[in-house]
């Protein structure tokens, strides 16, 4: 028996928005410690890693480990039927071939349940080594989404350059060139508006714009995003999810043969 | 001479939204008692019946009975030109081949008139027998629209099952199955949020989702919708229109040969 | 060296919206007195004339006259990257083949710069003779935009007829005919809601709806629009731009051979 309840369904709605353009299907691994999802995107370029701790749920029970292969387009359809303030409960029997989503309104006057067929999906776990990064930059996630959207108009790559003073995002293309500079904030009233650079040594790396745009779809999950970078290792883009976990995206830098 | 005035044009805008996906043209029958429209939808599956009483108008005059054949796409274009708070006046001469819509702003500084050509349309009146229904369910019209929209993702039919406890809407398809249960509300502060079931005997009937979706477009006309059902007779979906009348849709249940 | 700074970038955003459907590229002529743009639309039917005085800028410097040929689609992409409250600075070297747009947030924490390539564009200046118009009508610019949009549904031409009492806009087509009458306002609290007719003699002229619709896209620049008309000379549609200048559109009346 697996059962997990969240007081508000909107977190799951946002998680689906954050992965559904990268993945068409994925396996949710449920265990005593929580729910995990790890998958390469459809083009096998970036890696998505989602972690929801059992203690972050309102109610959580998982008698036996369970791997649920899920078509994300179908799950998105179901999640759209949930009111944002509805309670969400996921339920599955051991060895089940279906999972049930139950949405309950606050006063319980409206209860809806959706039973969805599960799929058998192949997959392999990638070990992600712990790394010390040369730079870790924290910026407001809305700002990150806007930068990706703005620079996408100018070129296919975004250069992220990090110094003590702040972080600079750049792109170049037919129209011309664009640079967006964010200064490290000295002291801010609201932590979520801060720009914070933790730097061992400066880095300047290029990334495929199209993937950063997809990662930015997780912005509604968190006020802040952190970008961890080192030469020759994948960028990590991390969004915290309330008190329950996080979603991380990994993307290798582009090797620029001509310039850089 | 025919003349009918409403203090606010938005009622007519909403009426057009409520019929324009079912009907491409329709005859408005004007008499001393008011305006009536009755028509089968383009596919001849469902029936639309609109009734606006003369006493619900601000000013109403109809010297001779008048049947106005109207292209609803053209009328929709005209109604879009009305401000929501504009006064609407419809005018036609006896035996006229045009109708004129006049929109006046509150301070009369802006007056616009639109003259539209009328059409000759064949039609036949269907007598609708008065029926005692096994179940009459009243629910908030926004809830009805949402249920139709949600379940449309799962299957082509919606099952409506009615018991003393409440009403259940269900659909099944490739993705899986969906059930939305509304409990009868014990006591509610706002009448328009109530779910009320008046039941002689339980019913469980299947209806084509596509038509229910079209009927739900009348939701802006009224806070409440009533669904009247009996075995083997058409469902009646009724929306009251302020103090002036109502719109009703009739749809026969689907005969399920395999299950049910 | 050319440098011009505006405290808020949204004025330039709106200017681009006001010309980008008429022009694909245009030359901005910068001199000591300000920035001017004059161009026929792509179909060579109407004329756009933009005038921004140097004293309307926060900071303005133009050492040598400069003609910047600009692809307006590219410039629109760049302007979309500006926050509405950002300071906008345009910069170019003498004889430069690029122009740079710098956007700065209020607290200077975010600075972005966009360098755009310039084009060599042929063009000729048209002398526009000063004219005394038979009628000058001032109406709220939102009302003008709405009238164009409403009447566009009915026909390809809009007739504008002006008398002492007010102004009437009309269109006729397959659906029927439409007339929108605005009465001259006696006394209004808000100047921008006034309808003012200054008339030497009545006029009634026809104009291509499609162009009026394009001119109406300048409505966000100003609360009021003025329409100046005389028999056989082009209509002038003028929107003031805050304290900095104006945009004017010129359009010759249609010669109606059959009616009128």
């Amino acid at each position: 028996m697996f059962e997990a309840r969240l007081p508000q369904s909107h977190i799951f709605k946002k998680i689906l928005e954050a992965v559904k353009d990268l993945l068409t299907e994925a396996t949710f691994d449920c265990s005593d410690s929580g729910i995990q999802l790890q998958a390469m995107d459809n083009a096998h370029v970036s890696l998505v890693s989602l972690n929801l701790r059992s203690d972050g749920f309102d109610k959580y029970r998982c008698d036996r480990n369970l791997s649920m292969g899920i078509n994300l387009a179908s799950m998105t359809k179901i999640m759209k039927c949930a009111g944002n303030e509805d309670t969400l409960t996921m339920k599955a029997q051991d060895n089940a071939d279906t999972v049930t989503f139950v949405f309950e309104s606050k006063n319980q006057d409206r209860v809806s349940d959706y039973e969805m067929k599960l799929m058998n999906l192949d997959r392999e776990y990638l070990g992600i080594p712990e790394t010390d990064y040369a730079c870790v930059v924290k910026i407001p996630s809305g700002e990150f989404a806007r930068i990706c959207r703005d620079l996408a108009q100018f070129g296919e790559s975004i250069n992220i350059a990090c110094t003590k003073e702040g972080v600079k995002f750049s792109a170049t293309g037919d129209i011309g060139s664009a640079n967006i500079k964010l200064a490290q904030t000295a002291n801010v009233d609201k932590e979520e508006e801060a720009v914070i650079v933790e730097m061992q040594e400066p880095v300047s790396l290029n990334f495929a714009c199209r993937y950063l745009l997809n990662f930015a779809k997780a912005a509604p999950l968190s006020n802040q995003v952190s970008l961890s970078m080192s030469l020759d290792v994948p960028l990590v883009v991390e969004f915290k999810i309330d008190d329950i976990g996080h979603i991380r995206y990994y993307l290798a830098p582009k090797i620029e043969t001509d310039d850089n």
Side-chain angles (χ1 to χ4, degrees), chain A:
Chain A
M1 178 70 181
F2 165 70
E3 186 171 346
R5 189 166 75 196
L6 276 177
Q8 295 188 319
S9 67
H10 65 81
I11 291 179
F12 251 81
K13 288 190 176 197
K14 290 173 186 168
I15 289 172
L16 280 171
E17 287 304 308
V19 301
K20 79 184 173 59
D21 292 328
L22 287 167
L23 313 174
T24 53
E25 47 200 31
T27 300
F28 288 73
D29 291 298
C30 308
S31 70
D32 201 43
S33 62
I35 302 176
Q36 278 195 296
L37 177 160
Q38 199 200 79
M40 298 293 287
D41 72 89
N42 298 330
H44 275 251
V45 173
S46 66
L47 178 77
V48 182
S49 172
L50 170 74
N51 196 351
L52 302 173
R53 291 186 312 275
S54 56
D55 59 30
F57 287 86
D58 223 27
K59 183 177 172 183
Y60 190 93
R61 174 183 164 189
C62 185
D63 300 341
R64 298 179 55 171
N65 286 2
L66 187 70
S67 287
M68 303 193 295
I70 285 183
N71 177 304
L72 294 174
S74 299
M75 187 168 165
T76 299
K77 283 184 181 175
I78 289 173
M79 291 307 303
K80 278 195 182 142
C81 301
N84 280 333
E85 303 302 310
D86 283 359
T87 302
L88 158 66
T89 310
M90 293 173 69
K91 282 184 195 174
Q93 299 301 319
D94 295 341
N95 302 316
D97 59 357
T98 63
V99 58
T100 300
F101 299 88
V102 182
F103 308 132
E104 289 162 281
S105 66
K106 269 192 181 152
N107 57 11
Q108 302 272 329
D109 276 351
R110 185 190 208 274
V111 178
S112 53
D113 61 88
Y114 297 85
E115 191 178 61
M116 185 176 69
K117 290 166 196 156
L118 294 174
M119 311 166 75
N120 274 317
L121 300 176
D122 287 337
R123 87 226 131 81
E124 39 177 341
Y125 255 96
L126 297 167
I128 300 163
E130 286 287 320
T131 313
D132 274 339
Y133 290 95
C135 290
V136 177
V137 179
K138 287 185 183 140
I139 62 174
S141 58
E143 182 68 77
F144 176 65
R146 181 182 161 194
I147 288 170
C148 294
R149 219 163 41 226
D150 284 353
L151 295 186
Q153 302 186 95
F154 295 89
E156 292 179 6
S157 300
I158 292 181
N159 178 274
I160 308 180
C162 208
T163 61
K164 256 182 228 164
E165 288 72 36
V167 57
K168 185 176 78 168
F169 299 84
S170 309
T172 303
D174 292 342
I175 296 178
S177 64
N179 298 293
I180 301 172
K181 279 164 268 180
L182 302 181
Q184 172 140 223
T185 42
N187 42 16
V188 283
D189 296 343
K190 301 177 190 166
E191 203 198 348
E192 67 267 23
E193 292 178 3
V195 171
I196 299 162
V197 179
E198 290 164 16
M199 198 192 79
Q200 312 297 326
E201 50 180 325
V203 294
S204 170
L205 295 167
N206 294 302
F207 299 99
C209 188
R210 168 171 133 59
Y211 285 94
L212 297 184
L213 269 175
N214 271 325
F215 304 164
K217 285 177 185 151
L221 278 166
S222 183
N223 289 323
Q224 278 256 331
V225 58
S226 85
L227 311 174
S228 304
M229 291 171 283
S230 278
L231 203 62
D232 300 331
V233 306
L235 161 76
V236 187
V237 178
E238 175 175 328
F239 299 85
K240 297 254 181 265
I241 304 174
D242 283 358
D243 295 327
I244 190 176
H246 61 251
I247 186 164
R248 286 186 192 141
Y249 302 92
Y250 296 83
L251 176 68
K254 277 189 163 186
I255 312 297
E256 304 287 321
T257 44
D258 299 327
D259 52 339
N260 225 24

